[in-house]
Amino acid sequence: MIDKGLRPSPISPTVDFSAEGVQHGFLRLPYSRDDSAWGSVMVPITVVKNGEGPTALLTGGNHGDEYEGPIALFDLARTLKAADVSGRVIVVPAMNYPAFAAGTRTSPIDRGNMNRSFPGKPDGTVTEKIADYFQRELLPLADIVLDFHSGGKTLDFLPFCAAHILPDKRQEARAFELVDAFSAPYSMKMLEIDAVGMYDTAAEEMGKVFITTELGGGGTATAKSAGIAKRGVINVLRQAGIVAGKADTVPTQWLDMPDGNCFSFAEEGGLIEPLVDMGETVVAGQVVARIYPIGRSGALTSEVSAKMDGVLCARHFPGLVKPGDCVAVLARAV
Ligand SMILES: [Zn+2]
């Protein structure tokens, strides 16, 4: 499936997407470097196919320091049997594999942020080449797309599954049905700070039913957050009719991010004192964090305030903050 004028992808899959059964393999991308002249980046991939039916494309590790997705998907890859499936499940637990292997958000090879690299380039950087393969080869195979995220080392989130408000209301409704089936403790109608270059946008523009998550953060996972991811992915496959059985749902609190007032950013750097914890309700104007300059004692502090009424759904994670960092994200209970 090659667009005119673009060269073919340099990635060769070691799996056959049309073959029946379970295959574990790699997306192999040639990457010549000092320690391996004819070396490759090997992105793990599992394909489970059984007869006719829809295709789900499941990805984790779009950002390399977010762990619930990779845990759920490495687990699914080792346990899902062909007999469990009607249709096809494509599992890529660590989409930006070099970033995942290094435990960093972006790739150590080219500093590429996978979720700002779409549609990618077949003759670009390593990250752009992987994005291009998803754009031109994997997304066209998919009916539904689930891309797992969490906060990574610098953010922490209330656990939610999310979809975007879309111009195509039918596509939007199908996405929100899957969010509901995922059954995270929270479900979000999500607004992006910066949607250009996102995998989300690429999938949605192709008409795919796309959902995503934010399931925790701080560069680690917990038993609870990993459990939410594992239950969610099976629920989504059941809702899509790819795995038999009814979704195992629990009550979810719907949240909505109405506009840019959701986000509060630091204007000074320093030591951050949280004044509100995750899941707590705040009102517009309320101070949510205090920042202490760290160069001297007794100096004036600065304050970060909420710009709307809402629930604290994400916060800056490390103890020190820099000017421009996102300190708090609020959402409105629906
Ligand atoms: Zn992410």
Side-chain angles (χ1 to χ4, degrees):
M1 219 166 288
I2 302 301
D3 291 351
K4 283 197 194 79
L6 275 182
R7 68 179 67 203
S9 171
I11 290 178
S12 16
T14 68
V15 291
D16 175 354
F17 293 102
S18 61
E20 299 287 317
V22 177
Q23 302 169 77
H24 304 292
F26 300 94
L27 304 175
R28 193 180 67 77
L29 168 60
Y31 171 47
S32 178
R33 57 195 194 270
D34 287 346
D35 68 340
S36 188
W38 286 6
S40 312
V41 170
M42 304 284 274
V43 181
I45 185 169
T46 290
V47 183
V48 181
K49 183 173 183 305
N50 184 20
E52 296 306 308
T55 293
L57 175 58
L58 311 174
T59 47
N62 177 325
H63 293 128
D65 61 349
E66 303 173 4
Y67 295 101
E68 285 81 0
I71 291 168
L73 295 181
F74 274 115
D75 187 56
L76 184 73
R78 81 185 172 93
T79 53
L80 190 64
K81 297 176 189 68
D84 300 334
V85 168
S86 302
R88 182 167 51 180
V89 182
I90 301 173
V91 186
V92 183
M95 193 179 180
N96 194 345
Y97 186 75
F100 176 73
T104 52
R105 180 174 181 81
T106 62
S107 174
I109 297 172
D110 52 27
R111 305 295 2 149
N113 179 340
M114 183 63 74
N115 224 24
R116 301 293 180 277
S117 299
F118 278 81
K121 285 185 201 151
D123 53 359
T125 63
V126 163
T127 306
E128 288 169 336
K129 286 170 176 168
I130 298 171
D132 169 70
Y133 190 81
F134 274 84
Q135 175 82 30
R136 290 192 296 152
E137 301 290 343
L138 294 183
L139 279 176
L141 299 177
D143 299 290
I144 66 165
V145 183
L146 164 56
D147 185 37
F148 279 101
H149 288 259
S150 299
K153 287 177 180 155
T154 66
L155 289 172
D156 192 19
F157 281 89
L158 284 183
F160 64 79
C161 184
H164 298 109
I165 304 293
L166 296 175
D168 180 339
K169 292 301 163 194
R170 211 169 139 258
Q171 184 186 6
E172 177 190 295
R174 290 187 61 205
F176 282 121
E177 276 168 27
L178 289 186
V179 171
D180 208 36
F182 187 100
S183 210
Y186 295 86
S187 298
M188 181 74 82
K189 300 189 175 189
M190 200 170 184
L191 177 74
E192 299 296 343
I193 291 185
D194 171 21
V196 175
M198 288 180 70
Y199 180 51
D200 314 45
T201 312
E204 287 161 355
E205 284 179 354
M206 232 178 262
K208 307 303 178 184
V209 178
F210 179 91
I211 64 169
T212 185
T213 68
E214 298 289 358
L215 293 177
T220 188
T222 64
K224 195 176 275 179
S225 65
I228 293 167
K230 288 168 68 170
R231 181 184 65 204
V233 70
I234 283 292
N235 276 348
V236 165
L237 293 174
R238 285 181 172 148
Q239 179 69 23
I242 297 172
V243 167
K246 222 170 114 26
D248 163 29
T249 56
V250 298
T252 187
Q253 169 67 56
W254 278 87
L255 300 171
D256 170 22
M257 294 166 70
D259 56 46
N261 285 331
C262 296
F263 305 100
S264 296
F265 296 92
E267 296 186 357
E268 308 287 342
L271 168 69
I272 190 161
E273 178 189 358
L275 299 175
V276 175
D277 281 326
M278 303 276 283
E280 290 180 4
T281 300
V282 303
V283 295
Q286 183 175 338
V287 179
V288 295
R290 183 179 292 132
I291 299 171
Y292 296 82
I294 55 172
R296 62 189 304 158
S297 52
L300 279 182
T301 59
S302 63
E303 293 177 334
V304 179
S305 302
K307 287 180 271 179
M308 57 176 257
D309 296 354
V311 173
L312 186 69
C313 69
R315 69 174 191 106
H316 182 77
F317 189 77
L320 296 181
V321 69
K322 296 178 295 304
D325 285 353
C326 182
V327 169
V329 183
L330 296 172
R332 208 168 50 185
V334 180

